[in-house]
């Protein structure tokens, strides 16, 4: 069984390296994975991506052009089925743990104006309210959603199923829809 798993890992790595050549050798990616705009995506050392991830850096949509950036800090761990979409910037810090089925985006289809309601959502221009930043040592639990313009402070915990619409200070636990602070994590006395 170890030989079969080793063969699968080597095969997976060679396939992934062809579609995402700027990955470090210490990063592990489990298939299947869907990467769009890999040249706009930076991954630090020793990261892990579970199966089913969809990571999209959109440099164009319809007639629009963008300069997207997606960055993963070193030692980030993704359980699987992560969906990130960027036309602006999504930055994930170091030592971040991301549960399954998490969605992070810096944009939406349109800006919710009355004029755009007459246009089919898929035909509306993409609109970003701002970059997304996730600090170091953040734990994002399963099925959380992080929306455009949100900054999450280092050491915070995003509860399962939370919908994060506003900034989260450093060292907080948030949960709910919309996410609210449920606890301030007090650093240990030095």
């Amino acid at each position: 069984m170890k030989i079969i798993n080793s063969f699968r890992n080597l095969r997976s790595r060679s396939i992934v390296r062809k579609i995402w050549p700027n990955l470090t050798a210490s990063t592990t990616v489990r298939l299947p994975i869907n990467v769009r705009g890999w040249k706009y995506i930076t991954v630090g050392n020793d990261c892990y991506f579970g199966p089913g991830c969809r990571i999209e850096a959109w440099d164009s949509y319809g007639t629009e052009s963008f300069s997207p950036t997606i960055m993963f800090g070193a030692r980030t761990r993704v359980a699987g089925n992560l969906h990130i979409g960027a036309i602006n910037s999504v930055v994930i810090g170091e030592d971040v743990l991301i549960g399954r089925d998490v969605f992070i985006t810096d944009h939406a289809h349109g800006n919710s104006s009355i004029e755009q309601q007459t246009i089919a959502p898929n035909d509306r221009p993409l609109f970003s309210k701002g970059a997304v930043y996730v600090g170091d040592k953040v734990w994002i639990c399963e099925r959380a959603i992080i929306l455009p313009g949100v900054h999450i402070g280092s050491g915070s915990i995003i509860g399962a199923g939370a919908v994060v619409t506003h900034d989260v200070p450093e060292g907080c636990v948030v949960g709910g829809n919309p996410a609210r602070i449920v606890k301030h994590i007090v650093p240990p006395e030095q």
Side-chain angles (χ1 to χ4, degrees), residues 103 141-146 158-164 174-180:
F103 176 54
C141 297
E142 292 194 358
R143 294 189 174 96
I145 298 171
I146 300 171
I158 309 303
V163 179
V164 184
V174 299
N177 179 5
R180 291 188 168 88

Side-chain angles (χ1 to χ4, degrees), residues 3-125:
I3 294 172
I4 292 171
N5 285 337
S6 294
F7 176 73
R8 284 183 185 147
N9 289 341
L10 286 173
R11 187 169 165 255
S12 294
R13 284 184 180 164
S14 65
I15 291 168
V16 170
R17 300 280 179 248
K18 287 179 184 175
I19 62 169
W20 202 356
N22 60 352
L23 283 181
T24 63
S26 62
T27 291
T28 301
V29 176
R30 299 285 181 227
L31 298 178
I33 189 167
N34 182 346
V35 177
R36 177 186 180 96
W38 57 264
K39 62 185 174 184
Y40 305 109
I41 303 168
T42 305
V43 178
N45 291 324
D46 195 28
C47 290
Y48 173 86
F49 294 89
C53 290
R54 184 172 146 198
I55 303 167
E56 302 169 320
W58 292 85
D59 58 2
S60 65
Y61 185 82
T63 60
E64 301 171 288
S65 295
F66 306 103
S67 298
T69 301
I70 299 175
M71 296 174 63
F72 293 92
R75 298 169 304 282
T76 292
R77 300 285 185 260
V78 178
N81 294 336
L82 169 67
H83 179 189
I84 291 183
I87 63 171
N88 185 346
S89 176
V90 174
V91 176
I92 309 293
E94 294 185 351
D95 300 301
V96 173
L97 177 61
I98 302 175
R100 294 185 62 79
D101 303 316
V102 169
F103 176 54
I104 302 171
T105 187
D106 68 359
H107 65 279
H109 286 267
N111 62 14
S112 302
S113 68
I114 292 173
E115 298 81 24
Q116 289 197 0
Q117 299 309 307
T118 61
I119 303 169
N122 200 47
D123 296 332
R124 295 176 191 160

Side-chain angles (χ1 to χ4, degrees), residues 135-147:
D136 297 337
K137 296 178 177 64
V138 170
W139 176 16
I140 304 172
C141 297
E142 292 194 358
R143 294 189 174 96
I145 298 171
I146 300 171
L147 295 176

Side-chain angles (χ1 to χ4, degrees), residues 136-139 152-159 168-174 181-189:
D136 297 337
K137 296 178 177 64
V138 170
W139 176 16
I152 298 173
S154 294
S156 290
I157 299 171
I158 309 303
V168 175
E170 189 172 301
C172 286
V173 178
V174 299
I181 296 173
V182 295
K183 180 179 180 180
H184 290 273
I185 303 168
V186 179
E189 291 186 31

